[in-house]
Structure formats: structure tokens, C-alpha cells
Amino acid sequence: MSLLHVKSFEDYKETYKKSVERPEEFWSGIAETFKWRKKWDKVLSWDFKDLNVKWFEGAKLNITENCLDRHIVERGDKPAIIWEPNEPGEAHRVLSYKQLLFKVEQFGNVLKNNGVVKGDRVCIYLPMVPELVIAVLACARIGAVHSVVFGGFSAQSIADRINDAKAKLVITADGGFRGKKVIELKDIVDDALGQCKSVEKVIVLTRARIPVSMLKGRDVWWEDEIIKVETQGNPHCPPEEMDAEDMLFILYTSGSTGTPKGVVHTCGGYMVFTGYTFTNTFQYQLGDVYFCTADIGWITGHSYIVYGPLSQGATSLLFEGIPTYPDAGRFWDITDKHKVNILYTAPTAIRSLMGFGDEYVEGKDLNSIKTLGSVGEPINEEAWEWFHEKIGKGKAPIVDTYWQTETGGFLISPIAGITPEIPSFAMFPQPGIQLVLVDENGKEIEGNDVSGNLCIKFPWPGMLRTTYGDHERCKKTYFSTYEGMYFTGDGALRDEHGYYRITGRVDDVLNVSGHRIGTAEVEDAINKHSDVVESAVVGYPHAVKGQGIYAFVVGNHRHTDEPDLMRGDINKTVSRIIGAIAKPDKIQFVSGLPKTRSGKIMRRILRKIAEGDTSNLGDTTTLLDPEVVEEIKRGAEEMRSK
Ligand code: WT7
């Protein structure tokens, strides 16, 4: 038990009350538990109108000193990272805090040797191997800003992210393993770099041992660079002293309009918030083995594989592969093998594994599990019950953590074993999080047994500070829909007890297998196909993925002869432009889209048709061409009956 753990439900209520009444005092108390080069002059200054939020102003720190150096004396030989490879036959690796620090310092020097200085942006496109954690921390060590790109994104997406951030250096691998597949990461990076003028160097890690192209002067091998550093003789790389509000990283995420935005997180507040929420929400105890199944390419991996756990001296298990390889029992094998105490995963994974049947769980020793966690989308009751019974053996609490890339860490969640939990409810605001539900006019909805749009009216240390290179866009996207508040984009209800349940996005953002995808982005990609006139993309309920992608496409001539070939073409186009994760699950060709007289696509109608609910489409008389709705309905029924 530490200062960071709330100790009882009563304690949670008191802590929450204090955090709202005296936020500065509350957060500075939490911040005191971290290591600072210099303490802050001011805990908080803020203005949501011009979006200017500063936490721990004047403070100096390096987050890696908190994640590594400060644990060396007491926990130097304790495991920081346990790495489980894709192939169960390959040896796993354990990196103690000492070893991890050593490697981070080494690689920090590699980055410096390759011209990276404080403030430079570095793009990281690596598989889930320990070197990914090392690369991330090495950037933070020298004050470079990392931008990790998930391995499922295409060359075009990498290029867009590199160009937006003007990244100077890229870190990748020859290839990565995911189940039976080899992902040719370096090839994909090479395709991207044709469009990227800012990139001077590419560091390539050997992982898959597949042939890759290496350009003299630009591309260097990770392993060679390490040898160079070794021969230089100095094993140390002192932590760069950072201001609390200096940028720590950029992570691109999709919104309802336009291209993905680079969400910016800063050093001090993000560290305090992720460390605190990690320890408190999971009730992490030193020595626990903690396994988060997310990919570091997403915010969950940043906050709750790397920074949160490591700042707390935890043991964080990193898994390279996928839940169904070599079979659907892999998570449970890993749990058994490494005696996992806390398992944090996504509803889509639970639903998929549940579908394979209980035989994959039976016979696995899951007695080590004491806490379970879920993230990414609302967890349906059936999945919750299965997780609770089959994995938690009816004993382990489940924390359903609601949060976002933009929030840095948990906003709403039970606290493991401390607060009550109800399946499909995220339950309680975390200390320091001041939630409000508002109606369409932005008026606060008070009392219980109500629902509305979920906003936050007071800053918290882990919140985004800007979107890279475009502060106006950040203000507009998050802080202008409802004046004076951060708008999450989600709807929520507060039940008669005051417990929160997230009802899902109210904007045009989809959540497919826990991956966030903007409908506008998918439409833009589809529309780039030479035979497409226009398209409209909506989500529909999908038994495993949570949401599937449904595209209504107006094409010219060709599709009428060979619709399946055209569907394949469209999928290929979307894979090229965004990545395979954004491929539509269903494509329906239509002769036109339902539009208002002013030309606005009536998505409400398309959503209903995609959901298979055409009984009440609402008023269609304002449509330019009401006939088109009948045609789309017929087409959708035809597709379903096939
Ligand atoms: C969106 C954020 C936060 C890490 C993973 C996703 C949805 C997330 C929950 C939950 C219901 C959830 C929301 C949110 N979401 N967690 N526990 N219950 N919905 O991060 O890609 O930034 O997506 O995921 O709709 O807005 P992200």
C-alpha cells in the first residue's frame, strides 16, 4: 500500500471529494511521490477557451529517471519487462530494471550519434519486442519526441504522420511476426520514405531475418550502432532535463473529420496521471506481474505497458503475437507460464476467444489472476460474465476502464476490489476527473437517472495539450462544441445510483476491434478509387469486432458487371491508403446516397439500414430523392440474404 492506493470505498469517496474541492493540493500530493529535478512553482494554470493548460509549471524532470533510475537501488534486479515472443517455442526474455536502464542509455547514445537532439521528432514503427520499449524510453531520455505508428498502418499513413511531425529519424525492423504472418516493416517504411523529405536516418532492428533494402548513408542497423556505442566506451546517457510542459510524445488518432490528428502529451502531468491511475485503479502491489495485451502503437500501450507501470516499478509483460496463435488459448498459456496477476485486455479479444469455446481455458492454471481489466469499447454483459467466470473464476474484480488517446489515462473506472462494479458500467469518475453530462445545447444535466453527452469541466494532468502543429484544430475539435468544457465525443448515462455507463460515440468515429477509425477517413480512401464517384461509411453492430465498417458506394459502370472484383479493388485501395484495419466489412453499391436538398448525406438513415433496422427510418420527405432510400433498403436486404 502506498499513498497512491485508495483503501476503501469510503476512502475513494473522500479522495474524490478532496480532488474536486482542492485539486491543486490533491495533485501536488500525488506528484510529490515522483522524482523531480526541480519542483514546480505553480501546480496548475488553465484556460479552456484559448486552450492553455499547464501542470507543474516550472518543474524539471526526466520521465525515464522516474521509470528507470529511481528503481535501481531497491528494484534493480527485479523484472521490468517480461517479453513473450510470437512463437511459444522461442525463449522468452526478462529485462530487469538495471538491464533496461543500461539498454535505454545505450540506445539513447545511438540516437545522439545519429544526430537526434532534444525536441526532434522520431517516428517508431516496430513490432512488439523489448526494443520498442527501449526505443520509446531512449527518445524520452534525450528529450526527443516519439511518434509511434501502429504496425497495421500502411506506408501512406506512415508518410502522412512523418510529414506532419517532420520526423528526422525512423526506427523500424526488417520485419515483425504476428501469428503465422511476417509483416515486412522495412519495406513498408521504404515505400513511405519516397514522400518524406524530413527523414535523414533509418535505424533498422533485426527481428524477422528477411531480406530488406538498405540505403547507404540513410539506413543503419540497430545492432551495428550498438557496437559503435560500445566501442565509444561511455555506457551512460544522462537524462535530459525537461520542463514539465515539454512535449513527451505525439500519437496520431482519428476524429470525425479530416486526417488523423497528432495528440500531444507532455512530460510532467502525463507521468503523474498515468503512474497514479495505474497503481490506484488496478491496486497494483510491487511484485505483481501485470499483462496488458494492447499494442504499444496505441495509447493503451504507451500509458499502461510503458510509462504507467514502469514509473511505478512494476513488472510489465509484453506479448509479441496475437491471441489466437498458435491457438485460442495463448493468453491463458502466457498467464499460466508467467503467473500473471493482473490481466488487462479488450472486449473484442474476449468475445473472439469466448467464441472458440471453453476448452482453450480448461486445464490452464489461472490461479495467479487477482485482477482483470477491460478497455477500448463498452464491454457487453455476456463477455463480462465469461471473463469474470472463466478467467477470474468468479473472484477477480474487473475494472472496465473508460478513457481516450486524448485523456492520457483513465477517466471512469471501478477501482479493483474497492468500489462496486456492474457489468457494462464504467462506474466511477477517477479522482480528479470532473464529469458532466450535457444536452445538445451544452446545458448541464444534473441529477441521476439521466443521459447526455459526456464532458469534463476541469483539467486533469494527463489531458492532451494540443494537436501537433495545429492548436486551433485542437480547440475546435475538443473545446468548442460545449463552451468551457472538454467534449469526449461519447454519450453516457448516469443511473439512479450515480454510476456511469458509456453508451458509445455520438460523432462519426468508429471503434472496430478497439481500433479507432474515422468514417470520413475511410470515405476519403474509398473515394480515391478511380471508379468511385462518392461513398458514405457508417458503423454497424458486429458480434466480435464491436463495430463493423459498412460502406455505401456510388461507382461508375464497372461494378455492375463484377461487383466482387470491385469490392476487392476498394479494399485494396483502403488498405494502401490507411491500412488493412480500415477495410470495410461490407460494401453495398448504390446509385445515389440519401441527401438533403442542401447536399448533406443523411447518415442517420444509412446507419439504420446498415444495422438492419428499416422499420422506422424517420422523416425522409426532406430528401432530395426519397426513392433512393427504397433502393438502398432493397439492396441491403439482398446483401443480408446472401
Ligand atoms: C474511445 C477512445 C483508451 C484506450 C483505448 C481506446 C471508447 C474506450 C471504453 C470503455 C466504453 C470505451 C470510447 C472512447 N472506449 N474505453 N471502457 N467503455 N467505451 O482509445 O482509440 O482513443 O478511443 O474508445 O468511445 O471515446 P481511443
Side-chain angles (χ1 to χ4, degrees), residues 507-629:
D507 54 10
D508 293 317
V509 172
L510 304 183
N511 192 326
V512 181
S513 299
H515 299 158
R516 183 158 155 186
I517 296 167
T519 51
E521 235 184 298
V522 183
E523 286 166 9
D524 283 347
I526 294 174
N527 296 348
K528 290 212 167 86
H529 186 291
S530 58
D531 289 326
V532 169
V533 178
E534 62 174 340
S535 64
V537 166
V538 295
Y540 71 99
H542 187 288
V544 173
K545 297 177 171 186
Q547 268 187 315
I549 303 177
Y550 198 123
F552 296 89
V553 176
V554 183
N556 55 25
H557 63 86
R558 252 195 69 198
H559 68 83
T560 43
D561 315 330
E562 289 191 87
D564 281 338
L565 188 57
M566 173 87 171
R567 285 193 181 97
D569 288 353
I570 289 175
N571 278 332
K572 197 140 220 171
T573 310
V574 173
S575 295
R576 282 248 167 223
I577 292 169
I578 306 174
I581 53 171
K583 275 194 302 204
D585 298 277
K586 290 188 182 174
I587 297 174
Q588 181 183 343
F589 294 110
V590 295
S591 68
L593 297 169
K595 286 185 185 168
T596 60
R597 292 202 178 87
S598 59
K600 215 179 133 224
I601 298 173
M602 298 278 279
R603 286 162 188 288
R604 177 177 54 79
I605 293 175
L606 293 175
R607 242 178 257 130
K608 286 226 150 181
I609 294 175
E611 284 164 12
D613 167 21
T614 51
S615 53
N616 178 17
L617 291 180
D619 186 11
T620 56
T621 53
T622 56
L623 289 180
L624 193 60
D625 175 14
E627 238 323 285
V628 82
V629 175

Side-chain angles (χ1 to χ4, degrees), residues 251-254 263 294 298-301 304 344 346-347 374-379 399-413 424-426 454 486 488-491 501-507 509-511 514-517 547:
L251 186 59
Y252 286 84
T253 191
S254 299
V263 168
W298 306 105
I299 191 70
T300 308
Y304 298 110
Y344 186 35
S374 166
V375 60
E377 55 173 308
I379 177 166
V399 291
D400 178 358
T401 61
Y402 165 79
W403 59 297
Q404 309 177 301
T405 304
E406 294 85 347
T407 71
F410 306 151
L411 295 180
I412 311 181
S413 174
S424 84
F425 275 69
L454 184 64
Y486 168 82
T488 60
D490 286 297
R501 177 184 190 165
I502 307 301
T503 47
R505 302 288 306 198
V506 295
D507 54 10
V509 172
L510 304 183
N511 192 326
H515 299 158
R516 183 158 155 186
I517 296 167
Q547 268 187 315

Side-chain angles (χ1 to χ4, degrees), residues 80-137:
I81 298 287
I82 299 174
W83 174 71
E84 175 66 22
N86 181 59
E87 285 296 336
E90 185 180 343
H92 71 269
R93 285 167 65 188
V94 179
L95 291 179
S96 69
Y97 272 96
K98 261 188 208 155
Q99 291 165 326
L100 184 59
L101 173 59
F102 178 79
K103 286 182 181 291
V104 168
E105 291 198 270
Q106 251 190 345
F107 197 69
N109 287 332
V110 167
L111 291 175
K112 284 185 184 167
N113 279 346
N114 283 280
V116 181
V117 299
K118 179 177 178 174
D120 282 346
R121 276 80 54 213
V122 172
C123 174
I124 304 180
Y125 189 65
L126 280 171
M128 283 283 285
V129 292
E131 285 72 17
L132 171 49
V133 179
I134 293 165
V136 162
L137 292 174

